[in-house]
Amino acid sequence: MYRLDGRVLLPTRIGLLSLFLVVPLLLLLIQLIYGGEERIAAIDRKLKGVNDIRVLQGMVDLAERLRDLSVIVVYDRSEELESEYERQRLELLNSVMLLEKDVVFSQDNPIMELTYPRIIKQIRRVRPVLGAELYTPDVAFREHQPLVETLQQIQFRLADQGGLFSDRNDASLNLTYLALDEFSDLTTDLGRARSYGSLYLRIGHVPSDGVDSLERIYERLVLQHDRLNIRVNQLLKNHAALAEKPPFNSVPWNLLQDAAQTLDDKVIQSADLDTPWRQFYQNVSAYVVTASIYRDQILSLLQEQYQLERREATAQQKWTLGGMGLLVLVYAFIYVMDLREASARQKERQEKEAAEAADRAKSQFLATMSHEIRTPINGVLGMVELLSDTPLNEEQKNYLMALRSSGQTLLAVINDVLDYSKIEAGKLQIDNTVFDLRQSVNEALTLFKPLFRQKGLELNISFEKSVPTLVNCDPQRLRQILMNLVGNGLKFTEQGSVNVRLSVKNTGEKCFLYGVVRDTGIGMDSHQQTELFKQFSQANRSISRRYGGTGLGLAICQRLCRLMGGEIGVSSKQGSGTSFWFTVELQSIDEARLSGFEAAEPSARDEHFRSELKGRRMLVAEDNKVNQMVIQGMLKKAGVTVDVVENGLQAYQKVVEEGQRYDCILMDWEMPEWDGITAARRILSWERRKGRPESLIVALTAHVLSDYEAQATEVGMKGFLKKPIEREALFANLIVLLKEQQGQ
């Protein structure tokens, strides 16, 4: 995440998803690393535990031989046996003391540091003579057995310390119990068999308590044999692969049975008491040694299991970390690429915002200039209209007509520029209304008749029978299209005529007004026709120099036709004239909303306006003196009583401070002191607080953008009339608004 021109750069949904995936993946990766290291460390602890057990197993073997020998030495005090006993005891003691000096072994196994003094003390304390004093064979065995058990218990603790007993691997867990549990018991029983059997053969008789001891040893050996075979068979059944490894691949597991049989045959049921005890001792000793070898092989196999498990854990960790790392890189790459795209989008957005700001500045400039130009034009055209109602001679009427034509031409140029600006900003609105098509078209094109007479051209207007009297569309935009096309025909035609023909075409459920404007002018080639509807474009520069124009008219006509649901096209040949055609969609007419005067003659409409407006009282807030005269003159001719103020503050004072009540307030927008929007807001706010009926306030302004109209509606103005306004449009709108106000 970084900033671009002071703004936070945000990724898209894909980038955010990648970021949200990267974070948990990183956490998971860390957890896997930590968990993998913990798993490997746990396996290493188990491996070390097995190694330590095997190290300690050598001392266990020495302690067991010393224990078994002690039973014989008690009754055979020969120097040879006593020397052997002392040698084995010193060997065991030296082994323990050497292990105590092994710093690594002792430090890693704190239990050993605590146990060394106890073991050494036990080794130094044991003496075979105790058995002689009490004349009990078990005494010597029990005297030395605690030493063996101490060492075996340490093995169990080392296994527990290494986590061998909490292993979830069934094979490893069973091997651990087999080596440390079963084999510890069977070596103890084998040791008893070896010691007691040899002893009784040596002394030449079996005491009464000795018979019971031998019987118990025999039974334990048989029981141990059965238990061991069950345990081993179950282990091999669950883990067949172990059968191929020592000691399971060569052991018949009749070790204890053979030892029990030897004890029974050679000692318990033997009638020959002359059997040398050393032969029996050697036979049973071989069983003990074999058991020790098997146990070491099982521990070695357990060690192999853990080594294999460690290799698998290491490989799994590498693959997992590699895969997770790759995913993190992929998502990070996606995120970085998305940020780059976001940077490009941000730059594009800024450029768009800059362009929009430029458009707004342009629109504001156009709106301001339009307002400043349209205000005096409103005065000019308004005074022309007032003047046309006064007695004039023919020459004066011609001058007045030329003045009106020039004003209309100037207004058309301003409208073209402003309309293009609104179209580009997507703010041009289509206002559909019901009107008399023939009357509207004839009135609009009548303005051209003096110009046609000056050039000696004919203007022909015809309507097919299919064209109804009343239609529902935007009359202002329809007149704008026709006047542009007729104006172009007039401009580029030197002799002949311009013909306008209107008809109606039905396509499915839609109804279209179809118009054709054909002239006998200079015509165009195919290249000129392709450039015709582009804004600020004309056939060539010489055309612009010779005939004038902005190059916006046809581009605006094309946009207007499309906004009104139709199309526009051209057919032309250089030197043979041009034919423009256009269509606009006609909306259905609601008969219930018709006033009955839409198709009336001008004189009838004027009478209708006077009858509806006569006796009304209106306030005009307008700072321009000429516009004051124009609006006041129009309203007075309709029988309206008019008060005029120069700004919004004076309008507020008239209504609020003086308590004047008006049927309608016509409010200009741009005025000194208070503008129209401020005055309207404060007047309506005061009336709402006082619980009075709200005044009918209508904006009458040179601002024509929809933004201004939206502001007026938001404040509470009920109408929005645009300058320069025609008398009939002013009266028709006032009558509608007054009726709506009265209904409310």
Side-chain angles (χ1 to χ4, degrees), residues 521-525 529 571-578:
I522 60 176
M524 295 174 287
D525 58 26
Q529 292 179 49
S571 174
S572 181
K573 186 176 180 181
Q574 198 163 17
S576 300
T578 301

Side-chain angles (χ1 to χ4, degrees), residues 451-467:
L451 301 177
F452 273 85
R453 285 196 297 269
Q454 289 177 8
K455 294 186 69 173
L457 302 175
E458 291 184 7
L459 174 60
N460 301 314
I461 306 171
S462 63
F463 298 87
E464 289 189 1
K465 293 181 179 180
S466 60
V467 178

Side-chain angles (χ1 to χ4, degrees), residues 61-89 127-129 137 140-141 144 148 191-192 194-196 198-199 277-278 281 285:
D61 293 339
L62 289 174
E64 287 177 342
R65 287 202 302 270
L66 183 66
R67 175 199 64 194
D68 299 343
L69 184 59
S70 69
V71 176
I72 303 172
V73 173
V74 170
Y75 295 100
D76 188 352
R77 307 306 298 267
S78 64
E79 293 181 0
E80 180 183 359
L81 285 177
E82 287 185 352
S83 298
E84 177 65 20
Y85 174 85
E86 191 61 29
R87 184 189 67 78
Q88 289 188 16
R89 190 168 71 88
R127 291 288 187 274
V129 295
F141 192 92
H144 290 75
V148 176
R192 285 180 181 272
R194 178 174 62 178
S195 301
Y196 287 15
S198 299
L199 168 64
W277 66 268
R278 289 188 182 278
Y281 181 80
S285 293

Side-chain angles (χ1 to χ4, degrees), residues 13-33:
R13 293 178 181 176
I14 296 177
L16 288 173
L17 178 62
S18 301
L19 179 62
F20 291 150
L21 287 175
V22 165
V23 173
L25 281 176
L26 283 174
L27 295 176
L28 183 59
L29 186 61
I30 294 171
Q31 184 178 1
L32 286 174
I33 293 174

Side-chain angles (χ1 to χ4, degrees), residues 281-299:
Y281 181 80
Q282 290 172 356
N283 291 339
V284 181
S285 293
Y287 297 141
V288 176
V289 172
T290 301
S292 180
I293 293 172
Y294 290 166
R295 176 162 57 178
D296 189 67
Q297 288 177 338
I298 292 172
L299 291 172

Side-chain angles (χ1 to χ4, degrees), residues 440-492:
S440 178
V441 171
N442 286 322
E443 288 177 357
L445 299 184
T446 297
L447 298 174
F448 287 102
K449 289 185 177 180
L451 301 177
F452 273 85
R453 285 196 297 269
Q454 289 177 8
K455 294 186 69 173
L457 302 175
E458 291 184 7
L459 174 60
N460 301 314
I461 306 171
S462 63
F463 298 87
E464 289 189 1
K465 293 181 179 180
S466 60
V467 178
T469 302
L470 298 180
V471 295
N472 186 8
C473 66
D474 190 328
Q476 179 182 350
R477 300 305 174 186
L478 177 60
R479 286 195 297 267
Q480 189 174 353
I481 295 169
L482 280 171
M483 292 179 72
N484 257 298
L485 297 180
V486 172
N488 278 340
L490 173 64
K491 185 190 301 183
F492 297 110

Side-chain angles (χ1 to χ4, degrees), residues 310-486:
R310 192 184 193 283
R311 288 194 295 271
E312 291 176 350
T314 303
Q316 182 181 2
Q317 184 185 35
K318 289 180 179 178
W319 282 105
T320 303
L321 295 182
M324 294 295 293
L326 182 61
L327 281 176
V328 170
L329 289 176
V330 169
Y331 286 124
F333 176 76
I334 293 174
Y335 178 69
V336 171
M337 292 303 295
D338 188 74
L339 277 183
R340 291 184 62 183
E341 292 182 6
S343 175
R345 289 192 299 272
Q346 180 75 356
K347 185 177 180 181
E348 182 181 350
R349 188 182 302 112
Q350 288 180 339
E351 291 175 352
K352 180 181 178 182
E353 290 175 354
E356 290 175 350
D359 286 341
R360 286 193 297 271
K362 179 180 68 175
S363 298
Q364 184 62 39
F365 171 76
L366 291 174
T368 302
M369 294 305 297
S370 171
H371 180 273
E372 295 303 318
I373 296 174
R374 290 169 74 93
T375 297
I377 288 180
N378 180 61
V380 171
L381 295 179
M383 294 304 295
V384 167
E385 187 167 353
L386 292 176
L387 187 58
S388 65
D389 291 336
T390 63
L392 298 172
N393 58 37
E394 193 64 29
E395 185 179 9
Q396 290 171 332
K397 289 181 180 179
N398 290 335
Y399 292 158
L400 190 62
M401 186 64 66
L403 181 60
R404 175 183 290 174
S405 177
S406 298
Q408 291 287 356
T409 302
L410 178 59
L411 182 61
V413 173
I414 297 171
N415 286 338
D416 282 351
V417 174
L418 190 60
D419 284 345
Y420 175 74
S421 173
K422 290 194 286 185
I423 290 172
E424 289 295 304
K427 296 181 179 180
L428 186 67
Q429 295 179 339
I430 299 299
D431 298 322
N432 293 324
T433 186
V434 178
F435 63 97
D436 187 328
L437 178 64
R438 289 175 174 80
Q439 187 180 90
S440 178
V441 171
N442 286 322
E443 288 177 357
L445 299 184
T446 297
L447 298 174
F448 287 102
K449 289 185 177 180
L451 301 177
F452 273 85
R453 285 196 297 269
Q454 289 177 8
K455 294 186 69 173
L457 302 175
E458 291 184 7
L459 174 60
N460 301 314
I461 306 171
S462 63
F463 298 87
E464 289 189 1
K465 293 181 179 180
S466 60
V467 178
T469 302
L470 298 180
V471 295
N472 186 8
C473 66
D474 190 328
Q476 179 182 350
R477 300 305 174 186
L478 177 60
R479 286 195 297 267
Q480 189 174 353
I481 295 169
L482 280 171
M483 292 179 72
N484 257 298
L485 297 180
V486 172

